[in-house]
Amino acid sequence: MINEYNFKKVEAKWQKYWYDNNIFAAKEDPNKEKFYALIEFPYPSGSGLHVGHIRAFSSMEVIARKKRLEGYSVLFPIGYDAFGLPTENYALQTKQHPRVVTDNNIKMFEKQLKSVGYSFDWDRVVDTTDPSYYKWTQWIFIQLFKKGLAYKSKTLVNFCPDCKVVLANEESQGGICDRCGSEVVQKEKEVWFLKIRNYAESLLSGLPTVNFPDRIKTEQENWIGKSNGADVTFKIVSSKKTSPIVVYTTRPDTIYGVTFLVISPEHPILDEFGAEIENLDELKEYQAKAKLKKELERTQLNKDKTGLLLKGLYAVNPITGTTIPVFTADYVMMDYGTGAIMAVPAHDKRDWDFAKAYDLPIIEVIKSSLNVQEEPYVEKDEEGILVNSPLINGLTVPQAISKIIKEMARLHVGYPKTDYKMKDWAFNRQRYWGEPIPIINCPSCGQVPVQENELPLVLPDLKDISPTDDASSPLKKCVDWVNTTCPICGGPATRETDTMPQWAGSSWYFLRYMSPHDSEHLVNPNSYSYWGQVDWYNGGMEHVTRHLIYSRFWNQFLFDIGVVTHKEPYIRRSAQGLILGADGEKMSKSRGNVVNPDDVIKEYGADVLRLFILFIGDYEKPAAWSPDGIKGCQRFANRFWAAQKLITKDNIDTSDLNLDLLIKNVSDDYEAGKFNTAIAYLMTALNTIYSRGAATLHEINTIALLLNPVAPHITSEVFYNLNKSQITDAKYPVFDPAKIIADEIEIPVQIMGKLRARVLVPTGSNEETVMEAVKQTGCLEGKSVRKVIFVKDRIINIIAN
RNA sequence: GCCGUUGUGGCGGAAUAGGCAGACGCAAGGGACUUAAAAUCCCUCGAUGGCAACAUCGUGCCGGUUCAAGUCCGGCCAACGGCACCA
């Protein structure tokens, strides 16, 4: 009756059953508790599904299947984040329309995802490039614009000469293009920004309310980079005039240690003084050099400080009245703080380096054991005591900060200020394959949003989508589309031709899944009130400071305008580790260490792939693919299949396998995201049954149900064989807490902290009983007991000699 | 430089809350079955010594706390990830 396991036949059979019958359709069932499990939707690239995807998706797959068996109404959706450069570049190369490329890739992904047997609700697929979807992406942009949170600004942007796109700071870290690896140059351009900085505080204060791993919270906190300090106004004086200049400092207490002022080479005040700077030619030269310097060079650490003394100018310290020299130097950035600093070389490494290079005085104002002429003392020590600072001498650093800020305020020269490292979100691309920004430029009315009832503003069908060399969008070539009329005055106007960055569509897709077919609402209010927040969201660490922050920002904005009722979109977040090649290196075509899930499924089947990817190691840590390791999971699957033969109706002793404890261990581990140990418990249980040589139907059914979320095909088949009913209609096993404790327990016996014996005693035995058992082992022979440390049901340690 | 994570057998990795280090799996060695191989099943498997019972050592390094340390504390070293002239 039971033959060798034919995974090809069985997997195809169950996939057909699930997908033809919509077994996993999410229903808003008021009688059930809901559970929303979310995975980061994939970018449908031409290379198809990667084993990394399998790891990323399988955790929530297990949770979704488990929750369904437990009686929850589960929303476990899938979609495609399909706008973006790789598709566009591929379309250009192959002379196809990106729409065609995208549709083909999505088809391939769907086929692959189904071959893994994922329990997605295939009726809820969203595609960010579908006008019915990006209609709402554009709608959100318009709301942001109306609230003053979207603005156009002329700034230096990171331009990649290869991709011909303006990049967000996040995409050009270290001056290298995220996508192609070439060096980024600075270019001045009018671009759209979203004021994410307005939400910096809210994004920070939301973190304690969500269940994210600490490393993710820390990374987000560092990214937002809050600092408390003060804006302090110095005066810059030339022979002809005096101008105020504001510096930002986190150490206003060190004001008496200021020995010079440094201004960023891009600072507008330099133009203001212009000819009054005696060495203007040198300045111009220095500015030009600084501009040419690529981001990479400029941020390189341990680089010698360069700068230029501005002759003919001096600055006045607002507290001490002392006059100090003014420099410009490229170690001061225009885009942080105010673009100018008060330099305190005694207590700042960079200022100290600069002071040494330009032979400037160093004045100690915080007492320390260091000689500040030799090296700076940079600790912000709460206990540090101020010296050489008449108004605040003898105070601790926090006391001094508080007192000096009051004094600055009284003199109207300084005020407390909070600053953030996070910059506003550069919200634009000069490429074709993205959401058109729904703004019309009218010569008389200015920037006017497209009427909301005219959304979606559909991307025009363009023949030539190639980018232009001048950093403007290919949409500019589509004159018929660009020329339009102003919605306000009806006069001739032109459309914005920039498109949105790829992060736009992924910033709210979790909401669309709740009611993907609703044409009236971004999210249907009834659906939203049922599904609410995402209960558990899994994704990659690489998205922690971008997608995860952007989507929290948009959700908080939608909360503020009343579209959603939860401030935070995600209750819990986890992050899978990377799957590396068998050589321990990141998988890449050039290394030739890429594992294709299709090949694995062909050879071992989807269940074995799923088992192995979850068994491979700690889910949150990176793991190297092992072509040998997978065999263990294949054996386990086959042994589980063959265990059907061991089922007997005879009365057998099953005391060697505590099913209640197994249920608890496996289920707790699933919920904790410890899939590797959950599978290990199931392997152990099966080993127990094999060494016993017989099993009960109840045992095999229980293992089938516990294993079903990981290996759904084989367990569905076994369960159907044994019970003639669907496992998807069965109930997840529940354990009896009273039965997870064994009757007898083995207690290790230590003598002087060293393991000397083990004794078997009834669970809960007291010290006397255990000691009695210890004496019988004879390991105390000839020894006198001085002290006994006894931990019930755990250990006994005897101090004896 | 700052922040974070991680160092455990030949390998991937286990080890609530300080309580038997090495679960589970791979590889390896031996055996059974087989004409043979594969598959399957059984046994061994941290190091050193010993025929053996057993003993000693052993979780990156040095020190400490404790009856007891992979786990806690102090000081290092290495690898990975994030940020980075952020005032």
Side-chain angles (χ1 to χ4, degrees):
Chain A
M1 176 191 117
I2 292 151
N3 303 315
E4 202 162 301
Y5 181 54
N6 182 339
F7 69 80
K8 282 198 173 114
K9 219 172 113 190
V10 170
E11 291 186 350
K13 168 186 160 185
W14 288 102
Q15 284 165 15
K16 183 166 166 44
Y17 169 75
W18 297 329
Y19 303 135
D20 286 356
N21 296 290
N22 271 334
I23 298 295
F24 307 115
K27 295 193 186 78
E28 290 166 29
D29 183 342
N31 298 314
K32 284 185 175 178
E33 216 177 307
K34 69 94 187 181
F35 194 90
Y36 185 177
L38 183 67
I39 47 139
E40 282 173 351
F41 62 169
Y43 177 76
S45 79
S47 40
L49 211 58
H50 184 269
V51 278
H53 287 118
I54 308 292
R55 195 182 207 196
F57 301 164
S58 291
S59 56
M60 289 306 97
E61 159 76 355
V62 168
I63 297 301
R65 283 193 181 257
K66 172 172 179 282
K67 293 284 178 189
R68 279 191 211 99
L69 288 174
E70 286 180 311
Y72 286 81
S73 183
V74 172
L75 173 56
F76 184 46
I78 182 75
Y80 303 98
D81 187 14
F83 273 131
L85 269 181
T87 299
E88 182 167 335
N89 288 338
Y90 183 76
L92 275 166
Q93 275 168 29
T94 57
K95 298 196 165 44
Q96 299 177 76
H97 195 279
R99 175 77 269 155
V100 175
V101 174
T102 301
D103 288 344
N104 285 341
N105 288 351
I106 285 179
K107 256 180 234 152
M108 171 174 61
F109 264 73
E110 176 168 339
K111 189 165 163 264
Q112 287 183 299
L113 288 165
K114 284 183 171 171
S115 78
V116 188
Y118 285 128
S119 65
F120 296 125
D121 179 348
W122 286 99
D123 281 343
R124 290 174 184 260
V125 173
V126 304
D127 166 4
T128 55
T129 66
D130 189 321
S132 71
Y133 180 88
Y134 69 68
K135 166 184 176 175
W136 296 105
T137 313
Q138 291 171 328
W139 183 86
I140 295 170
F141 181 86
I142 290 175
Q143 308 316 307
L144 287 159
F145 178 79
K146 284 182 178 168
K147 294 282 176 190
L149 292 167
Y151 64 96
K152 223 175 177 184
S153 170
K154 199 168 209 177
T155 37
L156 285 174
V157 293
N158 310 302
F159 181 71
C160 173
D162 272 8
C163 299
K164 292 167 182 166
V165 280
V166 177
L167 298 163
N169 292 319
E170 293 89 325
E171 293 165 306
S172 56
Q173 288 169 30
I176 297 291
C177 173
D178 219 21
R179 299 161 185 280
C180 70
S182 47
E183 280 188 21
V184 168
V185 298
Q186 303 292 302
K187 194 158 186 157
E188 196 171 68
K189 202 178 149 51
E190 278 262 294
V191 297
W192 285 96
F193 287 93
L194 296 186
K195 282 192 185 171
I196 192 172
R197 279 171 66 92
N198 284 28
Y199 278 77
E201 203 54 50
S202 179
L203 289 167
L204 274 178
S205 65
L207 283 177
T209 70
V210 293
N211 178 7
F212 291 5
D214 285 342
R215 58 178 177 152
I216 291 181
K217 289 190 184 187
T218 310
E219 232 175 77
Q220 292 208 347
E221 272 165 22
N222 291 346
W223 184 261
I224 296 166
K226 180 175 180 172
S227 75
N228 290 311
D231 272 349
V232 182
T233 308
F234 282 63
K235 271 185 219 138
I236 294 196
V237 182
S238 72
S239 55
K240 291 196 180 127
K241 68 175 178 195
T242 297
S243 266
I245 183 160
V246 179
V247 303
Y248 175 69
T249 177
T250 56
R251 297 298 302 275
D253 54 313
T254 61
I255 188 89
Y256 288 92
V258 178
T259 55
F260 53 99
L261 204 78
V262 190
I263 298 170
S264 167
E266 295 99 20
H267 201 291
I269 201 163
L270 297 175
D271 288 339
E272 194 190 309
F273 278 92
E276 287 145 62
I277 299 169
E278 288 164 16
N279 52 346
L280 188 60
D281 290 347
E282 275 181 283
L283 172 63
K284 290 251 146 82
E285 198 183 314
Y286 187 80
Q287 284 174 319
K289 242 192 261 169
K291 195 171 177 179
L292 269 176
K293 270 192 196 176
K294 296 184 185 89
E295 191 75 10
L296 183 65
E297 267 178 76
R298 190 161 164 174
T299 56
Q300 200 89 57
L301 197 71
N302 296 333
K303 183 177 66 69
D304 289 339
K305 299 273 180 295
T306 68
L308 180 71
L309 174 68
L310 301 176
K311 290 176 185 159
L313 302 186
Y314 65 88
V316 182
N317 184 319
I319 294 293
T320 64
T322 25
T323 63
I324 49 173
V326 180
F327 286 82
T328 185
D330 61 8
Y331 81 90
V332 173
M333 305 290 141
M334 192 57 225
D335 55 9
Y336 183 77
T338 60
I341 61 156
M342 55 179 230
V344 185
H347 305 294
D348 182 283
K349 179 75 168 71
R350 296 147 304 174
D351 297 346
W352 189 89
D353 289 342
F354 194 82
K356 282 290 168 192
Y358 289 84
D359 202 17
L360 294 157
I362 298 168
I363 302 173
E364 177 183 54
V365 290
I366 310 285
K367 208 158 66 184
S368 77
S369 56
L370 299 181
N371 175 2
V372 295
Q373 305 303 325
E374 304 294 324
E375 69 178 298
Y377 176 72
V378 297
E379 303 293 311
K380 192 173 183 178
D381 184 359
E382 303 261 306
E383 305 296 312
I385 300 295
L386 274 286
V387 294
N388 300 325
S389 306
L391 272 173
I392 46 180
N393 268 334
L395 299 181
T396 63
V397 168
Q399 289 167 339
I401 289 175
S402 155
K403 185 167 179 189
I404 202 72
I405 283 182
K406 275 186 202 136
E407 179 62 13
M408 286 171 176
R410 193 180 65 79
L411 298 169
H412 305 290
V413 295
Y415 304 94
K417 185 180 153 194
T418 300
D419 209 344
Y420 304 91
K421 286 182 200 171
M422 182 172 66
K423 288 160 192 154
D424 275 345
W425 178 4
F427 197 77
N428 58 86
R429 276 314 105 89
Q430 288 66 38
R431 294 291 290 243
Y432 175 72
W433 198 228
E435 302 90 341
I437 290 177
I439 294 288
I440 291 166
N441 297 304
C442 170
S444 42
C445 309
Q447 294 165 343
V448 181
V450 170
Q451 297 290 87
E452 287 175 25
N453 59 18
E454 286 181 13
L455 294 179
L457 170 59
V458 178
L459 197 56
D461 201 354
L462 201 58
K463 283 274 172 300
D464 178 18
I465 62 165
S466 56
T468 58
D469 296 339
D470 65 342
S472 65
S473 164
L475 285 180
K476 217 163 213 161
K477 295 184 271 191
C478 193
V479 181
D480 290 350
W481 183 81
V482 170
N483 290 325
T484 184
T485 51
C486 171
I488 296 177
C489 69
T494 56
R495 290 189 192 279
E496 175 60 58
T497 55
D498 279 7
T499 51
M500 298 189 197
Q502 208 195 329
W503 308 106
S506 59
S507 292
W508 70 281
Y509 73 112
F510 51 94
L511 294 170
R512 192 63 189 164
Y513 280 142
M514 299 179 194
S515 56
H517 309 299
D518 190 320
S519 54
E520 301 298 311
H521 305 90
L522 180 155
V523 54
N524 180 284
N526 293 327
S527 301
Y528 183 79
S529 73
Y530 186 78
W531 299 112
Q533 288 163 291
V534 174
D535 290 280
W536 192 345
Y537 187 18
N538 184 69
M541 278 308 283
E542 69 275 23
H543 292 131
V544 163
T545 53
R546 305 181 198 178
H547 160 66
L548 209 56
I549 286 190
Y550 293 152
S551 60
R552 289 182 60 222
F553 162 43
W554 274 30
N555 190 82
Q556 292 194 354
F557 170 72
L558 293 172
F559 172 82
D560 287 346
I561 63 169
V563 175
V564 300
T565 56
H566 297 282
K567 196 165 180 180
E568 287 291 337
Y570 318 120
I571 294 172
R572 179 176 176 185
R573 166 80 185 195
S574 56
Q576 79 280 352
L578 222 56
I579 289 282
L580 308 170
D583 53 1
E585 300 288 331
K586 207 171 160 172
M587 280 192 191
S588 72
K589 278 183 199 151
S590 56
R591 279 203 188 86
N593 60 354
V594 177
V595 176
N596 183 340
D598 289 347
D599 297 339
V600 180
I601 291 174
K602 217 174 276 171
E603 191 173 352
Y604 297 97
D607 281 336
V608 172
L609 170 63
R610 295 162 57 121
L611 267 166
F612 182 58
I613 206 83
L614 291 172
F615 184 68
I616 198 166
D618 185 330
Y619 188 69
E620 305 245 320
K621 292 193 194 118
W625 182 263
S626 156
D628 282 329
I630 194 166
K631 288 179 189 153
C633 290
Q634 186 187 32
R635 280 180 201 138
F636 172 60
N638 289 334
R639 273 159 74 87
F640 171 69
W641 176 258
Q644 294 176 92
K645 293 183 205 158
L646 302 179
I647 296 174
T648 172
K649 290 203 172 81
D650 299 344
N651 260 338
I652 54 169
D653 179 11
T654 59
S655 62
D656 52 357
L657 176 56
N658 185 332
L659 275 186
D660 291 274
L661 188 58
L662 179 69
I663 294 165
K664 181 184 178 351
N665 286 339
V666 172
S667 308
D668 285 357
D669 279 357
Y670 281 161
E671 292 293 334
K674 293 164 70 175
F675 307 102
N676 55 336
T677 49
I679 294 166
Y681 280 122
L682 289 166
M683 287 173 166
T684 309
L686 203 62
N687 289 347
T688 305
I689 285 172
Y690 265 82
S691 52
R692 183 209 290 158
T696 65
L697 176 63
H698 178 59
E699 284 176 328
I700 301 299
N701 272 338
T702 303
I703 293 173
L705 282 160
L706 292 174
L707 185 59
N708 176 254
V710 178
H713 309 86
I714 192 168
T715 49
S716 294
E717 183 72 9
V718 167
F719 192 89
Y720 190 80
N721 276 350
L722 299 178
N723 307 287
K724 299 294 168 233
S725 67
Q726 299 299 340
I727 200 167
T728 39
D729 297 330
K731 287 271 161 290
Y732 192 80
V734 178
F735 67 90
D736 178 352
K739 289 192 188 156
I740 61 172
I741 305 151
D743 299 341
E744 284 197 310
I745 192 166
E746 196 180 63
I747 301 223
V749 180
Q750 292 184 347
I751 295 171
M752 302 295 286
K754 292 205 163 160
L755 183 72
R756 284 293 181 264
R758 295 185 177 89
V759 292
L760 199 62
V761 294
T763 303
S765 292
N766 59 16
E767 187 178 326
E768 286 71 38
T769 316
V770 175
M771 266 313 266
E772 199 48 48
V774 171
K775 277 171 194 159
Q776 283 178 16
T777 65
C779 65
L780 284 174
E781 219 118 301
K783 289 180 172 146
S784 62
V785 176
R786 292 215 318 267
K787 192 179 169 191
V788 175
I789 293 107
F790 174 70
V791 184
K792 197 200 259 180
D793 293 342
R794 271 243 125 100
I795 203 162
I796 185 160
N797 190 4
I798 297 157
I799 312 304
N801 53 11

